[in-house]
Amino acid sequence: MTAPTLNMDKVGAFAQQIGGMLAGGATTAMMVVGDRTGLYAAMAASGSLTPAQLAAETGTAERYVREWLSQQAAVGIVTYDPEAGTFTLPPEHAAVLASDDSPAAMIGAAPLISGMHRRTDQLVDAFRTGAGIPWAEQDPATFESTERFFRVGYRNSLLAEWVPALDGVDEKLRAGATVLDIGCGRGAPLLLLAQAYPASQFVGYDVHPESIGTATERAAEAGVSDRVRFAVDFCQGYQDRDVDVITFFDAFHDLGDPVGAASHARRSLADDGTLVLVEPLAADDLATTLVTIPMAALGFAASTFMCTPNSLSQPVGLALGAQAGEARLREVLTEAGYRSIRRAAENDFNMVIEARP
């Protein structure tokens, strides 16, 4: 076989592209360091600082801080003033990196990438065997990052946009409704709902005991334990009936048997109840997703590392994947017996599917 003739300009351009990706992966690790040592928060509060000043404010070692700042300047996260010898985190960058409370915060996603790297060998084995990897076997950073990153989107959109877009749900919640959240993780969206709708009762179910423990602690800290309960249970195991609202927040595609889970939810709903799927935003075909969804690369990576392996670890193993798209989700819900299905809302990261039995 004759070796292809290479266009060296294209080789060089692609090598630079890969170099940028490698720098991005390394930078993610540096972002985790900056987050956990309080470097970003200190820079956001103090303006321009020398490495020694930043180290003094954060109780860290100046030599490490100097090297970290140099890397951050090399990728454009901070700016460097060579005359003053100071580094600055622009306020627009601080809005993304310095606090989870910012509506633009993305720093919570950084530990997720670290968690992926620590599970690479396990994933390689799964590629070779086809075996699944349960959610509980993921790196603990995955649980932290999932809560932190998704909570930002829920805080921005859940109460202001998504609930009002659902047919009659806001009115039910104000009057006093029963709500189940399946695959609740650490409970972030359920706690937001409980704080906003004190007349309603909320229950979160998840198969991961550690997440349920954390969610229970979060409920106590938020002062809503009187109306929020978290328990370990499977998506087809809970026995609740005549429920007003059942939600799946970024969890439905992770299930081995989403048809069975949706069918079980339909039987648990009241006659006028509502099923709500909050799923990653995606088009109905790969080609469109690749060019229209800004987070597609991260979404497919997360799906490869976590979502698909979790589904394959469970009975049926349908493996929808994190970028399933609305049409595929409609097929699943239709098979599960739902007749009224619509996209109620969306933001930059999620779409909200409403279904009725």
Side-chain angles (χ1 to χ4, degrees), residues 259-285:
V259 175
S263 297
H264 187 80
R266 181 174 54 80
R267 293 189 293 270
S268 299
L269 283 168
D271 291 341
D272 62 345
T274 303
L275 177 73
V276 181
L277 304 184
V278 176
E279 282 286 297
L281 188 65
D284 292 328
D285 65 280

Side-chain angles (χ1 to χ4, degrees), residues 33-338:
V33 171
D35 175 48
R36 293 187 176 171
T37 56
L39 296 171
Y40 288 130
M43 295 188 77
S46 300
S48 299
L49 295 167
T50 65
Q53 290 170 332
L54 181 56
E57 288 203 14
T58 55
T60 53
E62 186 274 341
R63 185 62 189 89
Y64 281 107
V65 170
R66 187 178 2 135
E67 209 71 7
W68 179 84
L69 283 168
S70 298
Q71 192 278 335
Q72 297 284 283
V75 296
I77 290 178
V78 304
T79 60
Y80 175 57
D81 181 345
E83 293 186 2
T86 57
F87 296 82
T88 303
L89 180 67
E92 295 80 6
H93 298 190
V96 178
L97 296 175
S99 171
D100 285 340
D101 294 332
S102 166
M106 295 186 70
I107 187 62
L112 181 70
I113 311 305
S114 298
M116 289 182 187
H117 288 168
R118 285 191 286 267
R119 284 291 180 265
T120 302
D121 289 344
Q122 186 183 24
L123 185 64
V124 170
D125 288 341
F127 265 67
R128 290 171 173 154
T129 66
I133 303 172
W135 177 253
E137 293 184 15
Q138 295 293 338
D139 188 87
T142 299
F143 312 137
E144 169 204 348
S145 190
T146 299
E147 176 190 22
R148 290 179 63 190
F149 178 67
F150 282 104
R151 183 173 56 202
V152 174
Y154 300 152
R155 191 176 61 237
N156 289 343
S157 298
L158 176 57
L159 301 175
E161 302 169 13
W162 297 347
V163 171
L166 299 169
D167 188 14
V169 169
D170 178 68
E171 293 82 358
K172 286 184 179 181
L173 292 173
R174 292 183 186 280
T178 56
V179 180
L180 303 185
D181 184 28
I182 312 304
C184 65
R186 295 184 173 188
L190 213 59
L191 296 178
L192 290 170
L193 288 169
Q195 290 170 320
Y197 297 101
S200 292
Q201 294 292 316
F202 304 86
V203 182
Y205 292 120
D206 201 290
V207 296
H208 188 228
E210 289 79 4
S211 290
I212 290 297
T214 300
T216 300
E217 293 173 1
R218 297 277 194 269
E221 293 167 358
V224 295
S225 296
D226 60 325
R227 53 187 182 274
V228 182
R229 177 173 63 88
F230 294 100
V232 177
D233 211 336
F234 183 50
C235 60
Q236 298 183 48
Y238 58 92
Q239 299 301 308
D240 306 72
R241 292 294 181 267
D242 296 321
V243 178
D244 295 301
V245 182
I246 295 179
T247 60
F248 291 80
F249 284 92
D250 290 291
F252 191 71
H253 62 270
D254 295 308
L255 302 177
D257 183 13
V259 175
S263 297
H264 187 80
R266 181 174 54 80
R267 293 189 293 270
S268 299
L269 283 168
D271 291 341
D272 62 345
T274 303
L275 177 73
V276 181
L277 304 184
V278 176
E279 282 286 297
L281 188 65
D284 292 328
D285 65 280
L286 176 59
T288 304
T289 295
L290 292 177
V291 298
T292 63
I293 305 300
M295 297 292 284
L298 179 58
F300 281 117
S303 188
T304 304
F305 265 90
M306 293 170 290
C307 309
T308 299
N310 187 67
S311 179
L312 292 173
S313 75
Q314 298 176 5
V316 180
L318 188 61
L320 284 174
Q323 309 283 281
E326 181 180 353
R328 185 71 182 98
L329 293 170
R330 283 177 172 271
E331 290 175 2
V332 170
L333 293 176
T334 299
E335 185 176 350
Y338 293 85

